[in-house]
Amino acid sequence: VADSPERDRRDDERRSVARLFNTTLIVFVASLFLMAGGGVLVRYVVNDANARVVDHWIPIERAHGRMLQQMTAAESSLRGYHLTLDRALLQPFVDARDEYPARAAAVVEMIGDDDELAAIIGEEAAAADVWFSEWGSTVLASTLTEDDPRDFDRTTGVEQFATMVDAHSRATGVIALRIDDSRDRARFVGEASAVVMVGYVVAVIVAGWLIVRRLRREVVHPLGELRVALNRLERQDLSARVDVTGATEVRQLGEAVNQLAEFSQRATVEQQARTESNRVVRAMASSIHEHLESSKLVSVTVETLGPALGGDHAIVIRVSPDRHGEEVIGEWRRHDGIESRLGTVIPNPDELTELVTRTFLGGKVVAIDDVAGDESLHPAVVEHLTGLGVCSLMLAPIAVGDEISGVLSVSTFDAPRRWTAEQQSMVLTVGVELARALRLADLYERERDMVNQLRSLDQAKTDFISSVSHELRTPLTSILGYTELLVDGDVGPLEGNQQSMMVVIDRNARRLLMLIDDLLMMSQIDANRLTISRTSIRIRRLLDGIADTMRPLADAAGLSLTIAPVGAEATVWADERALERVLLNLVSNAIKFTPPGGSVSVTAEPADDGVRVTVSDTGVGIPADEQDQLFTRFFRSSASRANAVQGTGLGLAIVRHIVEAHHGTVGVISELGHGTDVSFMVPPPPPSDEPLAAGAKSAVSLTSQETAP
Amino acid sequence: MTRVVIADDDADIRDLVSFKLQTAGYEVEAYSDGEAALAAVLDDVPDLVLLDVMMPRMTGTEVCAELRRNKSTAEVPIILLTARSQEVDVEHGFDVGADDYMIKPFSPRELVSRARAAIGRSA
């Protein structure tokens, strides 16, 4: 096993592209050198062989030939003398006898280390020496002895000479043989080198083919695969992988590409997981924020978060700021087999709240993958949790900033679980969202309580005003009733000032009644309780009634009250009592703000969209900058304050409410010091409605008019 | 003699109405609560019944409804007196069978003329 990486490394080196190229280069450079060297060597060998023939054997052959020439000349000279006895003919013989040994020695010298040839030449020279010393000497001696050499038996001489010639022939044969040898060798080297060259070229071609084949297998093919894989990756097909084959570098490239693809795929999967978890968190956050009740919020959170994280149990633990009593206030269980802990208080020994505290103070997620195997936990905590059946859990603070209101816990009961970073961030985010929603819910609850409180206070006020105004009516009934009895003389005639004093009582009691009615009506308008019930009303009858009621007031104020004549049939569609209230308020206002001697008049004229009623006076008038606020409740004009005119500031506000409830309009025209015209428009009855027809009634709620969109 | 039964928990108003009606020539029986008035009317049916709405034990509208359910008193003229001026109260009064209503404070003079009209209609 240990040498396996070593073997791999060697294998890598062996199969590397660089090595392949190196090898190829070396092969070709070497073959070039070999070819060049071989050529030079062949040339040298051939040249050498030829040179040896020319420089060595040809001179030897010549010198050897001259040896025989000289011997032949010596024999001719000796034979000539022998035949003619002419001494002069002996000269060549003498020259040969003197020169021949040196000549032979020179030839032997030239031969060098060819012992066989040297031996034959030696034999030739020895035979020549025998011929010279025996036959030659015999013949030569005759010149001194006077013997007739013609008597001499020539046979010996011929034989001796023939021995020499024979040796010469043999030597000549050997020399020719040597020359042939050299020539053969040169020729052989030439031919052999041609054959070697052809074989070499073939070998180089084969080597080149092998290299190409290997390149194809080790580099070209794997690179093609690589390109295909890269194209697939480019088209987002992240499952594409390269078959790691070929040369080392190509394999490394393939592995790099595979790692890249692996990484991209993992990153994509993680990205998808992150996107999914973001989506879940967003959906969860929006469903959390749909609720404004804290108990509902808590239950929605655990019911969504628990399944989303694949947990078995999710709870919300409320942590009070003083860290006393950590209660489970929300719970989700995957099945009923899990014991409910809703409403239980976490046991308070320190080691058991340690986890909660850790989350609480750390402000981070505490994720415990395996409760039983987690050594960072206090043994008592492990015992407590495993006792409950918890295998793994995650705790996150329910916090916004530093304000922590609780802890969110998700746990599994079946097996340990590795909580991923996404899941941890999800539970943390949900904790933050829950904290926000809880804070909102808290604010909302407080506000709702306050609104309810205000509403019941307002109701109490309205009820109070309503009941007070009713209670005040009963004594007023007696006051006005008995006053009327006295004024009418039912109990006998009144004397002197008694009559006028009774009228003052009556007038003030009626004023009190109007104030009470204003208060009651305003409180009804405020409480959205004022209803108007419309009928066809003959405007003339209504104005006559107003005149009757208001004339005593006008008389008392020293004013003339004029009701302009109206067409008998002019009708409006209105609530009689409400419209009466409008006219009473306007006329009493006019009377109040007009100095004695002035006049107040009421006119009614038919218009396109109903009847326009105008109350005019010759009073103090209203400054232009106050006219806008005139119909606002509790507004009191500068004139009313300056002239100490009594009033509540409700009259015109009620007028506006009632007129608008009738879909009418109200306006004011006033000139300071000259008087005021207040006019309002009331619509006519519906076309089908007969004036004064029985049952021609329609109840309209003022409030619905005002609040309807 | 024309007999009128009135019911009001306020003694002063009872006296006022009694006085005015007696002056106008009616025989008046006055009661301070609804129950007593109901018993009196059922015991001897009068020509007119005047009922205050807000009374102890039985309200005017309850007495009115009860009288209309009873055969012998189904036709007796009834006028309601109310301190409540809201239309709903008035409508409710008509619903339970009242012939007329008057809102407090009312003019005794007008009460007599309404009473006369109501008796006249039923006669």
Side-chain angles (χ1 to χ4, degrees):
Chain A
V1 178
D3 67 351
S4 173
E6 177 67 17
R7 200 166 53 225
D8 283 354
R9 199 182 59 77
R10 283 204 305 269
D11 193 48
D12 284 351
E13 279 177 10
R14 193 175 58 75
R15 294 187 66 183
S16 101
V17 176
R19 191 187 157 99
L20 191 61
F21 282 131
N22 280 344
T23 310
T24 311
L25 193 67
I26 288 166
V27 163
F28 278 97
V29 169
S31 61
L32 270 177
F33 274 110
L34 277 173
M35 267 161 83
V40 168
L41 187 68
V42 165
R43 193 164 188 82
Y44 175 77
V45 169
V46 170
N47 281 352
D48 186 55
N50 288 334
R52 194 164 174 78
V53 171
V54 173
D55 299 341
H56 187 68
W57 292 114
I58 300 294
I60 287 173
E61 191 181 32
R62 283 209 196 111
H64 187 243
R66 276 197 295 276
M67 277 170 68
L68 188 60
Q69 246 178 337
Q70 194 153 36
M71 282 305 289
T72 310
E75 200 265 341
S76 298
S77 119
L78 199 60
R79 198 163 34 173
Y81 170 74
H82 184 242
L83 291 174
T84 63
L85 296 179
D86 182 358
R87 287 198 182 183
L89 291 175
L90 277 176
Q91 191 54 46
F93 175 78
V94 172
D95 287 349
R97 192 190 59 187
D98 292 345
E99 288 171 14
Y100 187 82
R103 194 177 290 273
V107 170
V108 168
E109 181 74 15
M110 284 168 77
I111 286 165
D113 54 359
D114 191 340
D115 291 342
E116 187 196 355
L117 187 60
I120 296 169
I121 300 287
E123 278 177 36
E124 185 186 342
D129 190 48
V130 169
W131 182 75
F132 275 123
S133 58
E134 290 183 8
W135 172 250
S137 296
T138 306
V139 173
L140 209 54
S142 66
T143 61
L144 301 172
T145 61
E146 305 284 336
D147 292 338
D148 190 353
R150 282 169 295 200
D151 298 336
F152 294 166
D153 184 11
R154 284 179 61 228
T155 314
T156 311
V158 170
E159 279 176 1
Q160 283 173 343
F161 196 83
T163 304
M164 188 278 299
V165 170
D166 177 58
H168 181 88
S169 297
R170 277 192 290 131
T172 304
V174 168
I175 286 167
L177 203 64
R178 292 291 184 267
I179 287 170
D180 283 353
D181 271 1
S182 282
R183 286 199 172 128
D184 282 353
R185 198 180 307 136
R187 196 184 310 116
F188 171 75
V189 167
E191 284 168 1
S193 73
V195 169
V196 164
M197 197 55 73
V198 168
Y200 187 73
V201 167
V202 167
V204 166
I205 287 170
V206 167
W209 177 75
L210 282 174
I211 284 165
V212 166
R213 204 182 65 155
R214 181 143 183 190
L215 264 176
R216 194 184 289 272
R217 194 182 67 223
E218 297 280 278
V219 179
V220 177
H221 181 68
L223 281 179
E225 297 260 300
L226 209 59
R227 200 190 57 223
V228 169
L230 282 171
N231 280 343
R232 282 177 61 194
L233 287 175
E234 197 189 353
R235 288 195 305 270
Q236 301 297 321
D237 179 4
L238 296 179
S239 64
R241 291 291 181 278
V242 184
D243 189 14
V244 177
T245 57
T248 309
E249 289 89 340
V250 179
R251 284 204 315 275
Q252 285 165 350
L253 205 57
E255 275 160 11
V257 167
N258 282 352
Q259 275 172 6
L260 192 72
E262 190 78 26
F263 178 78
S264 303
Q265 198 170 21
R266 210 165 47 231
T268 308
V269 167
E270 278 170 14
Q271 181 62 40
Q272 278 165 352
R274 229 181 340 263
T275 309
E276 173 64 11
S277 103
N278 281 345
R279 194 190 61 73
V280 170
V281 166
R282 266 201 307 279
M284 224 181 282
S286 76
S287 74
I288 287 171
H289 286 296
E290 272 170 20
H291 301 280
L292 279 168
E293 224 176 299
S294 49
S295 62
K296 184 74 186 163
L297 264 173
V298 163
S299 62
V300 163
T301 304
V302 287
E303 277 159 19
T304 337
L305 184 65
L309 287 174
D312 294 314
H313 192 219
I315 56 172
V316 170
I317 303 163
R318 188 183 58 204
V319 181
S320 55
D322 55 1
R323 304 298 323 283
H324 288 300
E326 276 124 26
E327 189 190 348
V328 178
I329 57 167
E331 180 180 54
W332 169 80
R333 292 176 294 156
R334 186 173 287 286
H335 52 80
D336 290 339
I338 295 165
E339 194 190 340
S340 173
R341 289 166 65 201
L342 194 61
T344 59
V345 172
I346 307 272
N348 219 9
D350 287 343
E351 59 270 20
L352 285 178
T353 50
E354 184 198 292
L355 267 184
V356 175
T357 308
R358 237 208 273 172
T359 315
F360 186 83
L361 295 178
K364 294 186 294 198
V365 173
V366 172
I368 295 156
D369 295 345
D370 182 7
V371 170
D374 197 313
E375 289 177 357
S376 72
L377 292 176
H378 194 284
V381 176
V382 174
E383 195 182 327
H384 175 71
L385 290 173
T386 50
L388 292 167
V390 175
C391 290
S392 73
L393 82 162
M394 250 196 307
L395 295 160
I398 299 170
V400 178
D402 292 338
E403 197 180 307
I404 303 173
S405 51
V407 170
L408 192 57
S409 160
V410 178
S411 47
T412 64
F413 280 58
D414 51 354
R417 168 80 58 88
R418 211 187 69 74
W419 300 107
T420 64
E422 268 79 36
Q423 288 171 323
Q424 295 188 25
S425 106
M426 190 193 285
V427 76
L428 188 67
T429 311
V430 170
V432 171
E433 293 295 338
L434 178 58
R436 270 191 203 133
L438 280 175
R439 188 194 268 183
L440 267 180
D442 186 44
L443 287 176
Y444 177 75
E445 274 164 29
R446 259 188 256 169
E447 194 172 285
R448 194 174 48 195
D449 288 351
M450 197 174 284
V451 165
N452 283 340
Q453 210 175 332
L454 285 175
R455 200 171 278 163
S456 65
L457 264 177
D458 190 55
Q459 183 62 45
K461 182 207 76 180
T462 305
D463 289 350
F464 176 74
I465 290 173
S466 171
S467 115
V468 162
S469 69
H470 289 138
E471 288 302 317
L472 288 172
R473 278 165 178 274
T474 304
L476 270 177
T477 307
S478 285
I479 294 170
L480 284 166
Y482 283 104
T483 307
E484 188 189 293
L485 290 185
L486 288 169
V487 170
D488 283 0
D490 283 353
V491 287
L494 297 177
E495 289 173 7
N497 292 331
Q498 288 176 349
Q499 176 77 23
S500 63
M501 286 177 182
M502 288 316 294
V503 169
V504 172
I505 293 174
D506 183 75
R507 198 175 63 227
N508 281 286
R510 284 185 195 283
R511 207 170 98 191
L512 182 59
L513 179 62
M514 260 184 75
L515 291 174
I516 292 166
D517 281 350
D518 277 353
L519 267 178
L520 179 63
M521 192 159 277
M522 205 65 231
S523 80
Q524 283 171 341
I525 288 169
D526 281 352
N528 297 335
R529 279 194 199 160
L530 183 73
T531 55
I532 59 166
S533 172
R534 292 197 270 190
T535 54
S536 280
I537 298 164
R538 244 183 229 175
I539 200 80
R540 182 172 168 181
R541 209 191 74 171
L542 187 69
L543 292 185
D544 287 348
I546 296 298
D548 288 348
T549 313
M550 299 311 285
R551 202 167 300 281
L553 274 175
D555 291 349
L559 305 172
S560 70
L561 176 63
T562 325
I563 305 292
V566 193
E569 298 304 317
T571 55
V572 292
W573 184 244
D575 181 302
E576 187 170 358
R577 285 181 48 76
L579 199 56
E580 191 179 51
R581 161 70 38 194
V582 168
L583 283 164
L584 285 174
N585 282 359
L586 292 179
V587 173
S588 70
N589 261 1
I591 291 170
K592 273 192 274 183
F593 289 99
T594 306
S599 68
V600 173
S601 66
V602 182
T603 56
E605 49 193 1
D608 290 346
D609 45 358
V611 174
R612 176 178 295 280
V613 181
T614 306
V615 177
S616 310
D617 64 51
T618 57
V620 294
I622 304 156
D625 59 341
E626 289 181 8
Q627 290 177 11
D628 285 349
Q629 303 173 68
L630 209 54
F631 295 94
T632 314
R633 71 175 63 174
F634 303 123
F635 174 77
R636 305 217 53 217
S637 68
S638 54
S640 67
R641 291 194 300 273
N643 298 308
V645 175
Q646 291 164 332
T648 54
L650 291 173
L652 288 177
I654 289 169
V655 165
R656 194 194 66 184
H657 267 103
I658 292 173
V659 172
E660 284 176 359
H662 284 84
H663 307 296
T665 53
V666 60
V668 61
I669 301 167
S670 180
E671 196 181 337
L672 207 57
H674 288 85
T676 305
D677 286 3
V678 182
S679 57
F680 64 91
M681 179 75 85
V682 200
S688 62
D689 198 76
E690 290 296 317
L692 293 175
K697 280 189 161 190
S698 78
V700 175
S701 165
L702 173 64
T703 62
S704 70
Q705 303 277 340
E706 286 189 339
T707 55
Chain B
M1 203 174 180
T2 312
R3 189 166 146 264
V4 178
V5 168
I6 71 166
D8 199 311
D9 56 331
D10 187 301
D12 293 336
I13 294 174
R14 263 201 322 270
D15 290 349
L16 175 72
V17 173
S18 300
F19 177 82
K20 188 71 184 178
L21 287 173
Q22 279 164 358
T23 309
Y26 296 102
E27 184 192 335
V28 178
E29 279 174 42
Y31 298 93
S32 61
D33 67 77
E35 244 174 37
L38 179 64
V41 173
L42 290 175
D43 186 51
D44 182 5
V45 182
D47 297 291
L48 176 69
V49 182
L50 284 174
L51 295 168
D52 180 32
V53 172
M54 291 303 291
M55 282 189 296
R57 281 196 275 285
M58 256 181 118
T59 68
T61 44
E62 281 167 355
V63 173
C64 183
E66 192 57 40
L67 288 177
R68 287 290 178 251
R69 269 198 291 278
N70 196 302
K71 200 176 174 185
S72 60
T73 57
E75 299 296 326
V76 66
I78 300 172
I79 296 176
L80 290 177
L81 304 175
T82 175
R84 289 180 172 268
S85 59
Q86 287 134 299
E87 287 290 338
V88 262
D89 291 332
V90 175
E91 298 272 343
H92 186 52
F94 282 119
D95 284 348
V96 295
D99 293 82
D100 202 355
Y101 68 94
M102 296 201 72
I103 292 168
K104 290 178 180 178
F106 51 84
S107 153
R109 209 187 307 130
E110 194 183 342
L111 175 69
V112 169
S113 60
R114 297 261 191 119
R116 192 171 290 137
I119 294 165
R121 272 201 299 276
S122 71

